[in-house]
Amino acid sequence: MEKLPPGKLRNELLREVIFPNLGVEDGKVIYGPKEGFDSAVLEYDEKHYLIVATDPTLGVPAETFGFFAYHFASSDVAVFGAKPRWLVVDFVLPPGTVREFLERTMNDLNGECRRFGSAIIGGHTGVYPSVREPVATTTAMGLVKREELKLPLAKPGDRIIVTDKVALEFAVSAAYFRADELKGFLTPGELSKLRSLYRLETVLPDALIAKPLVRGMHDATEGGLTALHEIADNSGLGFVVYPERLRLDPLVEKVLDFYGLEPWSVSSTGTLIAITPPEKSNQSIAELHKNGITAFELGKFTADKKRVLVENGEEKVFPTFKGDPYVELYSKGLISP
């Protein structure tokens, strides 16, 4: 029997197993499950669409659990142009979970809800002997005006604008889960600083700022910038990326060097990919900078369907998603509540 690989399901499995088994057709569904689409778009009223996204939170440090229970799903709603308004949250917890973990999680989750104007409207909580670690499943919903809907689709010439959090998720996780390995390479202060950067692992504020100026958006989660392939596939395009334009946090770069990793396919949750018309590229970057978010133009989408890195005038094939080093960190780094 074929065993499924760890991490998110590969696109061929989605096409062969998931997508053919989606129940009845419903005319209210404008966009349902689709590769590269992290939210559903439903008809709401004559002026609005309802954006719905679901994400699990697991394999994260206990102190970050409430933050991510909010932001993983809410970020997916934001990149479609909507503010997360309603949340349904399930907590499935292992035996031995302490009350203090639940209290901190709910306090943090409540704090993010109040910061962005979201209401928790339901869910489920329970402790079960078959569960090995805390798992939160969050469904986030929000409304967007029909003319303001953003889809992860590009046109030839659109610029690839990226915020400077590429590979941050991997580096922060390594600082938590592999601190012993990194102690001889990073100082205690550097490890502590990396851990504190988990609060940057969201595209929610980035997307709300960029929304008026971009054509579409995507959060570079598992697989990192290889998400560009999904955008290009759905758009019938290619793209060109210029590695010398890539900006990495110096600490993130040190961690990647330590593990001998390239930045292109490493988990980068919180990194916004903004698909931007060329005439609005500079303005979108300036607007993000004005709000304290560093962004840069990494490349562009092309009518030519090649997907390449251009370095020193030489073209190289842009990597595809074959696996994410984050999965290994997660599998060896389970943290008890």
mmCIF file of all heavy atoms in Angstrom, residues 7 17-18 32 89 100 112 115 117 134-135 143-144 162 186 211 227 232 236 253 266 268 278 294 306:
data_model
loop_
_atom_site.group_PDB
_atom_site.id
_atom_site.type_symbol
_atom_site.label_atom_id
_atom_site.label_comp_id
_atom_site.label_asym_id
_atom_site.label_seq_id
_atom_site.Cartn_x
_atom_site.Cartn_y
_atom_site.Cartn_z
ATOM 1 N N GLY A 7 3.856 15.993 5.774
ATOM 2 C CA GLY A 7 3.638 17.350 5.303
ATOM 3 C C GLY A 7 2.367 17.447 4.480
ATOM 4 O O GLY A 7 1.571 16.506 4.402
ATOM 5 N N VAL A 17 -7.389 12.211 -5.505
ATOM 6 C CA VAL A 17 -8.156 11.649 -4.390
ATOM 7 C C VAL A 17 -9.119 12.654 -3.763
ATOM 8 O O VAL A 17 -10.271 12.327 -3.475
ATOM 9 C CB VAL A 17 -7.196 11.104 -3.294
ATOM 10 C CG1 VAL A 17 -7.988 10.534 -2.124
ATOM 11 C CG2 VAL A 17 -6.263 10.051 -3.880
ATOM 12 N N ILE A 18 -8.655 13.881 -3.535
ATOM 13 C CA ILE A 18 -9.467 14.860 -2.810
ATOM 14 C C ILE A 18 -10.500 15.524 -3.710
ATOM 15 O O ILE A 18 -11.711 15.478 -3.452
ATOM 16 C CB ILE A 18 -8.563 15.926 -2.156
ATOM 17 C CG1 ILE A 18 -7.516 15.272 -1.236
ATOM 18 C CG2 ILE A 18 -9.423 16.934 -1.384
ATOM 19 C CD1 ILE A 18 -8.106 14.498 -0.082
ATOM 20 N N GLY A 32 -14.197 26.963 -5.094
ATOM 21 C CA GLY A 32 -14.046 25.918 -4.089
ATOM 22 C C GLY A 32 -12.615 25.432 -4.032
ATOM 23 O O GLY A 32 -11.680 26.165 -4.395
ATOM 24 N N VAL A 89 -13.305 27.612 16.352
ATOM 25 C CA VAL A 89 -12.033 27.049 16.806
ATOM 26 C C VAL A 89 -12.279 25.745 17.573
ATOM 27 O O VAL A 89 -13.043 25.719 18.537
ATOM 28 C CB VAL A 89 -11.280 28.044 17.716
ATOM 29 C CG1 VAL A 89 -9.899 27.492 18.054
ATOM 30 C CG2 VAL A 89 -11.147 29.401 17.039
ATOM 31 N N GLU A 100 -3.107 25.832 32.749
ATOM 32 C CA GLU A 100 -2.368 27.053 32.412
ATOM 33 C C GLU A 100 -2.136 27.161 30.902
ATOM 34 O O GLU A 100 -2.134 28.261 30.342
ATOM 35 C CB GLU A 100 -1.034 27.083 33.158
ATOM 36 C CG GLU A 100 -1.146 27.376 34.642
ATOM 37 C CD GLU A 100 -1.688 26.196 35.450
ATOM 38 O OE1 GLU A 100 -1.696 25.057 34.929
ATOM 39 O OE2 GLU A 100 -2.100 26.415 36.612
ATOM 40 N N GLU A 112 -5.529 38.511 19.888
ATOM 41 C CA GLU A 112 -5.451 38.702 18.434
ATOM 42 C C GLU A 112 -6.829 39.009 17.852
ATOM 43 O O GLU A 112 -6.953 39.823 16.933
ATOM 44 C CB GLU A 112 -4.845 37.456 17.772
ATOM 45 C CG GLU A 112 -3.406 37.176 18.174
ATOM 46 C CD GLU A 112 -2.497 38.375 17.963
ATOM 47 O OE1 GLU A 112 -2.475 38.920 16.832
ATOM 48 O OE2 GLU A 112 -1.793 38.776 18.916
ATOM 49 N N ARG A 115 -7.471 42.599 18.526
ATOM 50 C CA ARG A 115 -6.584 43.446 17.720
ATOM 51 C C ARG A 115 -7.139 43.635 16.311
ATOM 52 O O ARG A 115 -7.053 44.738 15.739
ATOM 53 C CB ARG A 115 -5.198 42.802 17.657
ATOM 54 C CG ARG A 115 -4.177 43.556 16.831
ATOM 55 C CD ARG A 115 -2.871 42.786 16.776
ATOM 56 N NE ARG A 115 -1.925 43.394 15.857
ATOM 57 C CZ ARG A 115 -0.834 42.786 15.376
ATOM 58 N NH1 ARG A 115 -0.559 41.544 15.765
ATOM 59 N NH2 ARG A 115 -0.033 43.403 14.537
ATOM 60 N N GLY A 117 -10.438 42.700 15.294
ATOM 61 C CA GLY A 117 -11.889 42.815 15.208
ATOM 62 C C GLY A 117 -12.597 41.529 14.834
ATOM 63 O O GLY A 117 -13.578 41.565 14.078
ATOM 64 N N PRO A 134 -1.203 18.977 21.364
ATOM 65 C CA PRO A 134 -2.326 19.889 21.153
ATOM 66 C C PRO A 134 -2.534 20.190 19.672
ATOM 67 O O PRO A 134 -1.578 20.414 18.927
ATOM 68 C CB PRO A 134 -1.905 21.152 21.908
ATOM 69 C CG PRO A 134 -0.865 20.711 22.869
ATOM 70 C CD PRO A 134 -0.150 19.581 22.214
ATOM 71 N N VAL A 135 -3.791 20.195 19.262
ATOM 72 C CA VAL A 135 -4.164 20.538 17.890
ATOM 73 C C VAL A 135 -5.328 21.519 17.947
ATOM 74 O O VAL A 135 -6.325 21.272 18.640
ATOM 75 C CB VAL A 135 -4.583 19.300 17.075
ATOM 76 C CG1 VAL A 135 -4.984 19.715 15.658
ATOM 77 C CG2 VAL A 135 -3.463 18.267 17.034
ATOM 78 N N LEU A 143 -15.924 38.991 5.088
ATOM 79 C CA LEU A 143 -16.629 39.497 3.916
ATOM 80 C C LEU A 143 -15.726 40.422 3.104
ATOM 81 O O LEU A 143 -14.927 41.175 3.667
ATOM 82 C CB LEU A 143 -17.875 40.274 4.341
ATOM 83 C CG LEU A 143 -18.953 39.493 5.085
ATOM 84 C CD1 LEU A 143 -20.089 40.436 5.502
ATOM 85 C CD2 LEU A 143 -19.502 38.355 4.246
ATOM 86 N N VAL A 144 -15.868 40.358 1.794
ATOM 87 C CA VAL A 144 -15.149 41.266 0.909
ATOM 88 C C VAL A 144 -16.123 41.761 -0.155
ATOM 89 O O VAL A 144 -16.971 41.004 -0.638
ATOM 90 C CB VAL A 144 -13.921 40.568 0.258
ATOM 91 C CG1 VAL A 144 -14.341 39.388 -0.604
ATOM 92 C CG2 VAL A 144 -13.105 41.556 -0.549
ATOM 93 N N VAL A 162 7.623 40.674 -2.650
ATOM 94 C CA VAL A 162 7.773 39.732 -1.533
ATOM 95 C C VAL A 162 8.183 40.500 -0.287
ATOM 96 O O VAL A 162 9.008 41.418 -0.356
ATOM 97 C CB VAL A 162 8.831 38.654 -1.863
ATOM 98 C CG1 VAL A 162 9.043 37.706 -0.691
ATOM 99 C CG2 VAL A 162 8.419 37.864 -3.104
ATOM 100 N N LEU A 186 25.004 29.919 17.100
ATOM 101 C CA LEU A 186 24.322 31.162 17.442
ATOM 102 C C LEU A 186 24.514 31.439 18.927
ATOM 103 O O LEU A 186 24.569 30.524 19.742
ATOM 104 C CB LEU A 186 22.825 31.069 17.142
ATOM 105 C CG LEU A 186 22.405 30.827 15.689
ATOM 106 C CD1 LEU A 186 20.880 30.735 15.596
ATOM 107 C CD2 LEU A 186 22.933 31.908 14.768
ATOM 108 N N LYS A 211 -3.553 45.375 -0.090
ATOM 109 C CA LYS A 211 -4.781 45.043 -0.834
ATOM 110 C C LYS A 211 -5.179 46.053 -1.912
ATOM 111 O O LYS A 211 -5.466 45.653 -3.046
ATOM 112 C CB LYS A 211 -5.933 44.847 0.167
ATOM 113 C CG LYS A 211 -7.298 44.687 -0.459
ATOM 114 C CD LYS A 211 -8.377 44.602 0.619
ATOM 115 C CE LYS A 211 -9.769 44.720 0.035
ATOM 116 N NZ LYS A 211 -10.821 44.646 1.060
ATOM 117 N N ALA A 227 5.558 28.289 -4.066
ATOM 118 C CA ALA A 227 4.160 28.655 -4.330
ATOM 119 C C ALA A 227 4.034 29.445 -5.627
ATOM 120 O O ALA A 227 2.932 29.512 -6.211
ATOM 121 C CB ALA A 227 3.604 29.473 -3.169
ATOM 122 N N ALA A 232 1.612 30.482 -11.131
ATOM 123 C CA ALA A 232 1.888 30.430 -12.570
ATOM 124 C C ALA A 232 1.043 29.359 -13.259
ATOM 125 O O ALA A 232 0.518 29.584 -14.359
ATOM 126 C CB ALA A 232 3.377 30.166 -12.799
ATOM 127 N N GLY A 236 -1.531 30.194 -16.209
ATOM 128 C CA GLY A 236 -1.027 29.840 -17.530
ATOM 129 C C GLY A 236 0.203 30.628 -17.926
ATOM 130 O O GLY A 236 0.391 30.972 -19.096
ATOM 131 N N GLU A 253 19.457 33.866 7.597
ATOM 132 C CA GLU A 253 20.493 33.441 6.656
ATOM 133 C C GLU A 253 21.534 32.569 7.346
ATOM 134 O O GLU A 253 21.996 31.567 6.788
ATOM 135 C CB GLU A 253 21.145 34.669 6.024
ATOM 136 C CG GLU A 253 22.002 34.353 4.820
ATOM 137 C CD GLU A 253 22.337 35.591 4.005
ATOM 138 O OE1 GLU A 253 22.107 36.715 4.490
ATOM 139 O OE2 GLU A 253 22.811 35.418 2.869
ATOM 140 N N VAL A 266 11.842 26.548 1.491
ATOM 141 C CA VAL A 266 11.777 26.415 2.945
ATOM 142 C C VAL A 266 10.522 27.118 3.471
ATOM 143 O O VAL A 266 10.172 28.211 3.015
ATOM 144 C CB VAL A 266 13.037 27.028 3.593
ATOM 145 C CG1 VAL A 266 12.937 27.011 5.109
ATOM 146 C CG2 VAL A 266 14.270 26.248 3.154
ATOM 147 N N SER A 268 7.890 29.366 4.913
ATOM 148 C CA SER A 268 8.047 30.813 5.058
ATOM 149 C C SER A 268 6.734 31.479 5.457
ATOM 150 O O SER A 268 6.426 32.584 4.998
ATOM 151 C CB SER A 268 8.571 31.419 3.747
ATOM 152 O OG SER A 268 9.816 30.879 3.390
ATOM 153 N N PRO A 278 2.711 46.222 -12.942
ATOM 154 C CA PRO A 278 4.012 46.915 -12.940
ATOM 155 C C PRO A 278 3.925 48.382 -12.566
ATOM 156 O O PRO A 278 4.814 48.914 -11.900
ATOM 157 C CB PRO A 278 4.529 46.717 -14.373
ATOM 158 C CG PRO A 278 3.352 46.258 -15.169
ATOM 159 C CD PRO A 278 2.440 45.555 -14.233
ATOM 160 N N THR A 294 9.120 45.595 5.393
ATOM 161 C CA THR A 294 10.083 45.640 4.296
ATOM 162 C C THR A 294 9.632 44.713 3.177
ATOM 163 O O THR A 294 9.264 43.561 3.417
ATOM 164 C CB THR A 294 11.481 45.218 4.780
ATOM 165 O OG1 THR A 294 11.888 46.097 5.831
ATOM 166 C CG2 THR A 294 12.485 45.288 3.650
ATOM 167 N N LYS A 306 8.380 29.472 -19.077
ATOM 168 C CA LYS A 306 9.553 29.015 -18.317
ATOM 169 C C LYS A 306 9.524 29.599 -16.908
ATOM 170 O O LYS A 306 9.059 30.719 -16.697
ATOM 171 C CB LYS A 306 10.845 29.451 -19.020
ATOM 172 C CG LYS A 306 11.092 28.778 -20.350
ATOM 173 C CD LYS A 306 12.497 29.027 -20.855
ATOM 174 C CE LYS A 306 12.771 30.505 -21.082
ATOM 175 N NZ LYS A 306 14.126 30.739 -21.645
#
